[in-house]
Structure formats: C-alpha cells, structure tokens
Amino acid sequence: MHTVKAIYPGTFDPLTNGHLDLIARGAKIVDELVVAILRNTEKGEPLFTVEERREMIFEATREFDNVSVTTFDGLLVDFARQQGAKAVLRGIRAISDYEYEFQMAMMNRKLNPEIETLFMMPAEKYTYVSSRLIKGVFRLGGDVTALVPPLVMERLRAKGSLPAE
Ligand code: PNS
C-alpha cells in the first residue's frame, strides 16, 4: 500500500491556532504527520524550552491519531529521510511568506530531491497570526486567547511578564 508520511517542521515558540489549523488540514491529507520542533534555532533565545513546546503540541494534537510530536537537529531533509518521510509540510499565510518558503523548498530539493514540500494555507482567520506576534502582543497586555490553544494560554500566563525580545 502507498502511504505518505510528512514532517511538519518549525520552531513553534509557541504553537498557535494557525499551526494547529495547518496540522488538522495536513492530517487529513497524509497518512502520518510528524510535528518536528527544531532544537537549535537561529532565532535567538526561545521563550519556551523544547520540552515545554513538545508538551503543548502533544496536548493540543491528542485528538489526531495520525499526528505525533518530536524534535530534531541538523538538516531537515536528513531528519525526514531518517523518519522515512516523503514530504515536508509548510504553511503559507501570505505572499510575504512565499519568498522564504520558496527558497527553503528549493534548497531542500537540492539537498534531497526525493523529498517534496507541500504547502497548505491556514484558515483565513489565522493568516495574520505568528508566534512572534503572539508573544509581542501578550507581552504588552493584549488578549491572545482566541489565537492559541488553551494550554499555550495557560503557559503564557504562568510565565508572568515575558522578557523583552
Ligand atoms: O517555524 P520556522 O522557524 O519558520 O521553521 C523553520 C525551519 C525549522 C523549518 C527551518 O529553519 C529548518 O528546516 N531548519 C533546519 C535546518 C535546515 O534544514 N536548513 C536548511 C533549509 S533551507
């Protein structure tokens, strides 16, 4: 039988409802979806530890029986190959995402032509949501309850006042 396993990679600092929306869409299309948190990000000091992020994603994706969560280091295409995955899933919110995503997809194809990048669009209501914006708005006292899963909201509140970026 022909089954498709895909990796949904990212920083997920923290998981947003936009990510979750994409996971739900991806899980309907592929047989197995592995949400993979990059361990050593170049984005600077993350707000949540990798373990905290893993827990939040695990809780938020409990309802999907074909979704799992793990972490990875090094090249995404190497990780995908080790996992026996044929595809990488990425979300595109707006044209502004396209350039970076296109470059990454082409570089990944150059590194391993066997792995395809699948792009999906999140629900329109999440097209402006990003982890960076969530942290920025929450830091300034804005209400982000509708934009993140309940456990993420809880964990954000538990952090108290967030450190400045
Ligand atoms: O959530 P993000 O930060 O947009 O995710 C970026 C991510 C993790 C997908 C990307 O940085 C990545 O794949 N990093 C692993 C290193 C790698 O493979 N680099 C070459 C891709 S061009």
Side-chain angles (χ1 to χ4, degrees), residues 9-12 38 43 72 74-77 90 100 104 107-108:
T11 312
F12 304 109
L38 178 65
K43 284 188 173 175
F72 79 105
L75 284 177
L76 173 61
V77 288
R90 290 289 288 173
Y100 170 61
M104 267 204 313
M107 179 58 84
N108 285 335

Side-chain angles (χ1 to χ4, degrees), residues 19 22 29 34 38-40 42 48 52 57 63-64 66 90 94 106 114 121 138 146 162:
H19 292 131
L22 210 82
I29 300 295
V34 179
L38 178 65
R39 276 200 293 269
N40 291 321
E42 290 167 4
F48 291 99
E52 286 172 323
I57 298 171
E63 66 184 279
F64 306 107
N66 61 342
R90 290 289 288 173
M106 289 302 130
E114 302 287 301
M121 287 165 290
F138 181 79
L162 304 190

Side-chain angles (χ1 to χ4, degrees), residues 4 12 21 25 35 40 48 60 64 73-74 84 99 103 115 123 131 137 141 143 147 155 163:
V4 178
F12 304 109
D21 180 90
R25 289 172 199 279
V35 182
N40 291 321
F48 291 99
F64 306 107
D73 243 335
E99 206 166 335
Q103 277 186 344
I115 291 169
S131 300
V137 170
D143 183 11
L147 306 177
R155 295 279 177 100

